[in-house]
């Protein structure tokens, strides 16, 4: 297991859910069960829910997970003669030996996969306006297919939806990619004719997608964390569990207990022995059973079943049959194109916030303040002069002086703009430093 000791975010433990004090242990979930979690949702106390998902939410769709002994993907890769199972998603290995990955991609690519009840549960939380974000490790894009909009999803390990040349970085056509992969060949870029075209899945040793970092702030405002269908063995994703505040309740829905603090220095404290607050609950069962139970306890089970049935019906109607993953990819590609515009906006917005923050903190901001002060002083002087000149009735002199002052004002403004630009560049550099996390 590769769990990090370090959390990605320093958090302040912000939550509007207070625990009562019994002895030394404050109980946020009393008792620490799925029932107590449901109560928080039902009473409107949990309304910024983050869901962290893994392969377990898609096994009911027919896609194997990775680590379940026997059925998991990593137990069934013998035919590829890998040095170790994870090598199939290892960048260094892939560059030398892309064939095993593409044999596997062939098996995964043309599958007929429909979203599960759990995927529709996410959609329902979104429609109820209580889903803050879904962070998924899955590359199957089923969250999107269940109707969750792009801005609600962080595909932490990328997805099959897009493919890119490793050499010239050009995106490949989804239909072409499918054709080549289906033939069992390694796709070589039609543009530069040398680079291998790789689906945009985050391999071990590769940087996480920028969206992952852009959305990390969600964990500081989250008021309920639901972790579902994951072994929490891959970093940095797994450490996000510890990125919510210490008072934020956390529910694990999984076939097995994972991420237990008893076994490492971080994670869930189901027994309430290590953390200040009793706030972790475990529901042992399948993801679909878990969300059905949760929906039932919250009083919206029928709504969930309706969303599920209608969702499946509309997909079959739209595609005339259960869609293949390439049809899903094409649909998703369209959505992503729309999202790119959004992302640029988001980046702009973030840059502004960043710039603002740095302005307040940095030394240069003092310079800017000084300039602004001078600017105000000049303005004041100018208006006083104007008054004086008016009194003297000297129009010509006034015009000359206005011109001179205007120039001075312009110079000061220019200086301020330059200084702001410096700030922006500094902000971008800081952000790039942050995105150096790679998947391990
Ligand atoms: P794993 O296979 O590691 O873990 C799946 C977890 O889900 C296990 O704990 C199972 O017991 C549980 N599980 C399986 N089916 C379930 C079901 N129907 N209901 C409830 N629980 C179920 O999968 P992930 O944690 O998602 O990387 O794996 C993380 C990453 O490791 C993946 O994203 C993948 C892999 O290397 C890439 O694809 C790049």
């Amino acid at each position: 297991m590769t769990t990090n000791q370090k959390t990605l975010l320093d958090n302040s433990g912000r939550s509007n859910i207070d625990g009562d004090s019994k002895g030394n242990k404050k109980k946020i979930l009393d008792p620490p069960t799925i029932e107590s979690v449901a109560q928080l949702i039902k009473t409107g106390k949990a309304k910024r829910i983050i869901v962290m998902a893994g392969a377990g939410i898609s096994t009911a769709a027919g896609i194997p997970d990775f680590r379940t002994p026997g059925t998991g993907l990593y137990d069934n890769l013998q035919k590829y003669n890998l040095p170790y199972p994870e090598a199939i998603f290892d960048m260094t290995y892939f560059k030398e030996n892309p064939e095993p990955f593409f044999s596997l991609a062939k098996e995964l690519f043309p599958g007929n996969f429909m979203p599960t009840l759990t995927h529709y549960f996410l959609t329902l939380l979104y429609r109820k306006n209580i889903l803050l974000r879904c962070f998924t490790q899955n590359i199957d894009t089923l969250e999107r297919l269940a109707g969750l909009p792009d801005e609600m999803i962080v595909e932490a390990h990328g997805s099959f939806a897009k493919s890119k040349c490793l050499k010239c970085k050009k995106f490949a056509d989804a239909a072409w990619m499918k054709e080549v992969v289906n033939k069992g060949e390694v796709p070589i870029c039609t543009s530069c004719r040398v680079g291998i075209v790789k689906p945009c899945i985050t391999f071990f040793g590769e940087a996480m997608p920028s969206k992952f970092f852009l959305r990390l702030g969600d964990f500081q405002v989250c008021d309920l964390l639901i972790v579902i269908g994951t072994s929490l063995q891959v970093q940095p994703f797994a450490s996000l569990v510890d990125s919510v505040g210490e008072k934020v309740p956390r529910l694990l829905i999984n076939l097995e207990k994972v991420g237990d603090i008893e076994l490492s220095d971080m994670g869930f404290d189901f027994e309430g022995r290590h953390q200040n607050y009793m706030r972790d609950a475990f529901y042992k069962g399948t993801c679909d059973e878990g969300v059905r139970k949760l929906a039932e306890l919250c009083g919206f089970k029928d709504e969930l079943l309706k969303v599920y049935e209608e969702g499946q019906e509309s997909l079959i109607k739209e595609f005339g049959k259960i869609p293949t993953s390439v049809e899903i990819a094409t649909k998703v590609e369209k959505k992503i194109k729309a999202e790119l515009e959004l992302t640029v906006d988001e980046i702009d917005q973030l840059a502004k916030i960043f710039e603002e923050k740095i302005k307040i903190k940095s030394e240069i901001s003092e310079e800017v303040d000084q300039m602004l002060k001078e600017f105000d002083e000049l303005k004041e002087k100018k208006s006083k002069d104007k008054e004086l000149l008016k009194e003297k009735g000297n129009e010509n002199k006034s015009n000359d002086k206005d011109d001179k002052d205007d120039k001075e004002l312009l110079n000061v403004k220019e200086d301020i703009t330059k200084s702001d630009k410096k700030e922006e560049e500094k902000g971008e550099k800081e952000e790039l430093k942050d995105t150096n996390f790679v998947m391990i």
Side-chain angles (χ1 to χ4, degrees), residues 53-56 59-60 65-68 74 86 89 137-139 157 201-204 229-234 253-256 258 285-287 439:
T59 51
D65 68 3
F66 295 89
R67 296 179 179 81
T68 293
Y74 291 151
E86 278 97 343
F89 291 121
Q137 297 166 98
N138 298 346
I139 54 181
H157 297 166
I201 295 167
T202 314
F203 277 25
F204 292 103
T230 173
S231 61
L232 288 179
Q233 298 233 359
V234 174
I253 300 175
N254 214 42
L255 284 177
E256 54 178 344
V258 295
T286 70
C287 299
M439 194 167 91

Side-chain angles (χ1 to χ4, degrees), residues 35-172:
E35 283 79 8
S36 302
V37 172
Q39 198 56 22
L40 296 175
I41 299 176
K42 212 173 164 183
T43 54
K45 282 186 179 161
K47 48 185 182 298
R48 293 187 300 270
I49 304 173
I50 290 183
V51 176
M52 287 173 59
I57 72 165
S58 294
T59 51
I63 305 171
D65 68 3
F66 295 89
R67 296 179 179 81
T68 293
T71 56
L73 207 61
Y74 291 151
D75 245 9
N76 290 281
L77 296 173
Q78 296 87 351
K79 57 185 162 187
Y80 301 122
N81 274 329
L82 300 163
Y84 55 98
E86 278 97 343
I88 202 143
F89 291 121
D90 187 294
M91 207 52 196
T92 317
Y93 181 81
F94 174 80
K95 281 182 182 161
E96 296 297 318
N97 312 279
E99 294 82 6
F101 169 77
F102 282 109
S103 308
L104 178 69
K106 186 182 170 187
E107 284 173 43
L108 295 178
F109 237 90
N112 295 317
F113 307 124
M114 288 288 262
T116 65
L117 191 70
T118 303
H119 293 100
Y120 286 101
F121 178 75
L122 302 177
T123 307
L124 186 58
L125 292 185
Y126 160 67
R127 290 193 189 159
K128 290 188 172 297
N129 212 14
I130 53 175
L131 181 71
L132 178 58
R133 208 82 58 194
C134 167
F135 282 71
T136 181
Q137 297 166 98
N138 298 346
I139 54 181
D140 53 33
T141 65
L142 292 185
E143 297 86 358
R144 293 169 185 274
L145 205 64
L148 211 56
D150 295 322
E151 68 269 19
M152 280 290 130
I153 312 166
V154 176
E155 282 162 342
H157 297 166
S159 81
F160 266 114
K162 290 199 291 175
S163 304
K164 199 167 150 186
C165 170
L166 289 182
K167 187 115 188 129
C168 72
K169 313 285 177 214
K170 284 217 173 102
F171 285 101

